[in-house]
Amino acid sequence: MARLLIVIFFTAISSVSLADNVVRDAALDKWSESERALIDSMLIDHLGPPPVDASNKFADNKNAAKLGKKIFNDTRFSANGKVSCASCHLSDYNFTDKLSLAEGIGTTTRRSMPAVGMAYQKWFFWDGRKDSSWAQALAPLESPVEHGISRTFSTQLIYKHYRNDYLAVFGALAEINIAALSPQARPDTNDEVAMKQWQAISHNGREQITRVFVNTGKALAAFVRTIKPAASAFDDYARALAVGDKQGLASLTPEQTRGLRLFVTKAKCINCHNGPLLSNGEFHHVGIHDKGETDRGRGAVIETVALDEFGCLSRWSDANPNKDCAHVRYLDTRAEKYEGAFKTPSLRNVSIRSPYMHAGQFATLSEVLFNYRAVSGKLLTDEVFHNDLSDEELGELESFLNALTSH
Amino acid sequence: MKPYLALVSTIAIIFINDVYAIDASNKMARDRPEQMCLANTWSGHSLTVSYTIEGDKPPLNTIHSWTLTVTDKKGEAIDGAEIILSADMPEHLHGMTTRPVITAGTSPGHYKVEGMNFHMPGWWEITLDISKGRSRNLVTFNLLVGEGLDMKHHQHHEHMNMKMDKQKPKTKYLWQGC
């Protein structure tokens, strides 16, 4: 008898949960025209092939991507032989790491950014101080706290270990006595010794070193360009909604669906987290306090970004400066608009890549959402509108964010 | 320390520690009005202005170009006008992240606007300050970006309005006759 009761009990439980899965409240999936349009605009299918990177003519060269992948994982490109790009951009952790502040040779002041979907970005780093993926890839190499090497040393490694791979992509490698040069030599106004050694190299030598260094960045960018996010439960839902597939709507749980509704309506997350990557790629102040020195973010770099040595408008770029590089040419460079502003990150796979914000200030999405509510309506965060959200609604938003993880 | 000194120093510390992103000065947030004109043609006493967008609708997060057509009341092209464009999101206290450049177009009365970029979905208000000789006009266009009510649906406006009436919208959108 007792056994029978147990069986009846469990049958009852399973039928309740089954009913919960099958019968959805019709109101849950009822959307207005504009809400449907907004949901559809976030669908990953609209990413399409990456836009042309006019600044890098090797961006879609398969051999360049192969070379880039090798360099990405090569720890010889560091001062201590232990740091590669992959040290902070872990392929099994959404191409970022678990640290609040990135660590290479030393410790940086910001969190590693996930190197996913880079082919669709206009600006790179939290402050957007680089305007192309290849220019971004070069900066950590010469940063004393990241890879800690020079363009001279990087080029010496290419000559020594990647000569054939390089020739296969870029065609020529000038015969200079690269091994005889000081591996510290680089044009760094903050490092007198490195600068003197750089200036001691002939003009032609400096040109050749920089050319190979630039091409190294372009190969790295060709590889990074291949890293894209995959579809998630949200995308299954959005596709089902678009074609009227009622069963497909069960891809999101009721709680996640309520979170999606908040995302595109009341919580207004979609203002900045829009498009198929759930990021507008722009810069916003979201009221995050820095520990120690205040980080000016975008405001510190926006006035000079167009003049960058490796910028889209520079002589090392393959772009036509009168026709391409629209994001640089038409940029509104008024720094006061961007003080303390940081790049909107993509929300794809966000729940599996803690910690969060530009200096890893929060360990959980729950903390992030609670903070957004706490800082809403303050002068410095006129883009944040979350002060009318209940604890329950924050929970629903968090559930929705969990549905953005790639299958 | 006297209490007010403590207050002053506290305020000073707040200002030293915080940096502010300011694009909101002299702006007041406005909700969507009861009726919003989404027409792409504006007619005043002395001139008519219209725009077309590269592609058929204002794209989200994409730098794109517009073509403006400016004619007088007789329909004659107006060339050589000075045009200052600004784009704002009235609900948000900010505008675009680009500064578009306006140059003479290839046809009479045409002007090319390069560097437009709408980085958020929603209501955008485009203001054109058009001067020629002793005449000056302030022209305003409304755009809804990413909400499915853009120019692509221009032909279906009756259908769209009908659907929206069912849902009792706060704002009535008009594409013509406004």
Side-chain angles (χ1 to χ4, degrees):
Chain A
M1 185 63 198
R3 193 174 288 175
L4 183 67
L5 276 176
I6 288 170
V7 169
I8 289 170
F9 178 68
F10 278 105
T11 310
I13 285 184
S14 58
S15 62
V16 165
S17 59
L18 195 67
D20 205 36
N21 283 337
V22 174
V23 181
R24 284 169 70 93
D25 182 354
L28 198 60
D29 303 305
K30 204 173 172 188
W31 302 94
S32 72
E33 285 291 327
S34 70
E35 287 158 4
R36 277 169 181 270
L38 290 172
I39 291 169
D40 187 65
S41 70
M42 290 150 59
L43 180 55
I44 198 164
D45 302 347
H46 299 312
L47 256 188
V52 172
D53 179 358
S55 74
N56 180 6
K57 62 183 174 189
F58 306 100
D60 294 309
N61 180 313
K62 286 195 173 124
N63 286 329
K66 275 184 195 167
L67 171 60
K69 187 175 183 180
K70 287 181 192 174
I71 298 169
F72 190 88
N73 292 290
D74 191 338
T75 55
R76 287 175 298 200
F77 284 81
S78 64
N80 63 3
K82 291 177 183 170
V83 180
S84 74
C85 306
S87 304
C88 297
H89 301 286
L90 309 167
S91 61
D92 61 354
Y93 201 69
N94 203 229
F95 285 88
T96 180
D97 61 23
K98 300 174 185 181
L99 304 170
S100 291
L101 300 177
E103 279 184 20
I105 297 298
T107 304
T108 72
T109 56
R110 297 192 189 133
R111 162 148 185 60
S112 302
M113 295 198 87
V116 180
M118 291 296 105
Y120 301 90
Q121 309 284 311
K122 297 191 291 276
W123 302 105
F124 300 82
F125 290 119
W126 282 106
D127 54 11
R129 67 185 179 276
K130 297 290 175 179
D131 62 18
S132 73
S133 182
W134 63 268
Q136 182 281 321
L138 293 175
L141 292 172
E142 287 199 312
S143 159
V145 290
E146 295 180 62
H147 296 248
I149 62 170
S150 70
R151 60 191 66 185
T152 307
F153 183 65
S154 173
T155 297
Q156 286 169 335
L157 291 170
I158 297 289
Y159 270 79
K160 198 172 173 188
H161 303 292
Y162 293 105
R163 178 179 286 270
N164 291 336
D165 298 282
Y166 185 95
L167 288 173
V169 181
F170 303 106
L173 201 51
E175 289 307 324
I176 56 170
N177 190 4
I178 189 85
L181 302 175
S182 163
Q184 273 85 45
R186 63 193 175 100
D188 182 351
T189 49
N190 298 318
D191 186 335
E192 209 177 312
V193 176
M195 190 64 147
K196 273 194 175 167
Q197 287 168 340
W198 178 250
Q199 285 163 343
I201 300 171
S202 71
H203 174 76
N204 282 347
R206 294 197 302 255
E207 286 288 294
Q208 173 62 7
I209 289 165
T210 307
R211 167 61 61 200
V212 175
F213 190 56
V214 162
N215 286 342
T216 303
K218 288 178 180 175
L220 281 164
F223 165 59
V224 171
R225 194 172 165 83
T226 63
I227 307 168
K228 298 176 197 173
S232 64
F234 158 72
D235 300 295
D236 295 339
Y237 182 90
R239 284 175 195 146
L241 187 67
V243 298
D245 163 18
K246 281 194 176 176
Q247 285 189 324
L249 296 175
S251 303
L252 292 186
T253 67
E255 189 183 34
Q256 289 170 338
T257 313
R258 288 193 290 273
L260 169 61
R261 186 173 303 279
L262 290 165
F263 192 93
V264 298
T265 59
K266 183 179 171 187
K268 302 186 177 79
C269 310
I270 195 169
N271 285 355
C272 301
H273 293 285
N274 58 47
L277 286 176
L278 294 104
S279 165
N280 61 358
E282 290 291 345
F283 301 83
H284 303 283
H285 195 316
V286 292
I288 304 296
H289 282 274
D290 294 300
K291 296 164 194 154
E293 204 176 322
T294 296
D295 191 336
R296 292 179 60 205
R298 187 72 166 149
V301 304
I302 198 161
E303 288 170 332
T304 52
V305 69
L307 309 171
D308 189 83
E309 180 191 11
F310 298 134
C312 193
L313 301 172
S314 76
R315 67 193 178 97
W316 299 108
S317 160
D318 300 316
N320 175 347
N322 298 316
K323 186 174 147 279
D324 306 315
C325 320
H327 60 306
V328 188
R329 286 190 292 131
Y330 300 113
L331 181 68
D332 185 348
T333 56
R334 286 173 292 181
E336 72 273 15
K337 285 171 66 176
Y338 299 99
E339 288 297 338
F342 295 90
K343 190 174 166 182
T344 311
S346 168
L347 293 181
R348 291 200 171 270
N349 292 302
V350 69
S351 66
I352 56 163
R353 55 167 161 80
S354 162
Y356 303 107
M357 319 317 275
H358 65 270
Q361 283 94 336
F362 300 117
T364 65
L365 283 176
S366 168
E367 285 173 75
V368 175
L369 290 163
F370 272 81
N371 188 74
Y372 270 132
R373 181 171 65 183
V375 301
S376 281
K378 302 276 167 63
L379 173 64
L380 73 174
T381 55
D382 58 30
E383 281 306 317
V384 180
F385 313 89
H386 305 282
N387 49 351
D388 54 353
L389 296 175
S390 67
D391 287 0
E392 191 186 358
E393 288 173 324
L394 294 183
E396 288 166 353
L397 279 169
E398 191 181 343
S399 287
F400 170 65
L401 295 177
N402 289 331
L404 294 169
T405 305
S406 297
H407 292 314
Chain B
M1 187 191 276
K2 288 179 181 172
Y4 72 86
L5 278 179
L7 181 65
V8 168
S9 58
T10 307
I11 291 169
I13 286 165
I14 288 169
F15 275 95
I16 290 163
N17 283 344
D18 282 343
V19 286
Y20 295 89
I22 298 172
D23 189 26
S25 49
N26 300 318
K27 290 179 186 171
M28 289 283 283
R30 282 177 285 140
D31 289 331
R32 293 187 193 190
E34 282 179 19
Q35 188 167 301
M36 189 188 288
C37 180
L38 297 174
N40 64 345
T41 299
W42 177 96
S43 287
H45 290 299
S46 57
L47 57 113
T48 298
V49 183
S50 65
Y51 69 83
T52 53
I53 298 179
E54 199 182 75
D56 63 345
K57 60 175 179 171
L60 182 63
N61 285 336
T62 305
I63 297 174
H64 64 285
S65 300
W66 284 28
T67 300
L68 301 174
T69 306
V70 184
T71 54
D72 65 16
K73 57 186 171 186
K74 293 177 205 152
E76 303 279 332
I78 297 180
D79 286 314
E82 187 195 331
I83 305 176
I84 300 166
L85 181 148
S86 60
D88 269 299
M89 297 196 83
E91 294 163 299
H92 293 213
L93 297 175
H94 69 75
M96 297 195 292
T97 59
T98 54
R99 273 194 287 201
V101 174
I102 303 177
T103 50
T106 46
S107 312
H110 282 210
Y111 298 81
K112 193 169 185 187
V113 186
E114 292 171 286
M116 297 292 282
N117 185 24
F118 304 114
H119 64 288
M120 288 191 188
W123 174 26
W124 286 85
E125 192 175 65
I126 317 300
T127 306
L128 299 168
D129 182 344
I130 304 178
S131 304
K132 175 78 193 274
R134 294 174 64 187
S135 148
R136 184 179 175 192
N137 284 271
L138 273 181
V139 178
T140 302
F141 291 114
N142 295 298
L143 281 174
L144 285 182
V145 177
E147 294 191 20
L149 296 170
D150 40 53
M151 287 160 62
K152 187 178 144 192
H153 298 281
H154 191 162
Q155 282 80 24
H156 311 296
H157 57 95
E158 282 175 282
H159 163 72
M160 298 297 292
N161 268 337
M162 191 179 70
K163 271 204 166 177
M164 288 176 44
D165 282 341
K166 269 187 200 167
Q167 294 156 15
K168 292 181 185 167
K170 282 183 193 162
T171 300
K172 189 180 180 192
Y173 300 102
L174 298 172
W175 279 264
Q176 291 173 343
C178 49

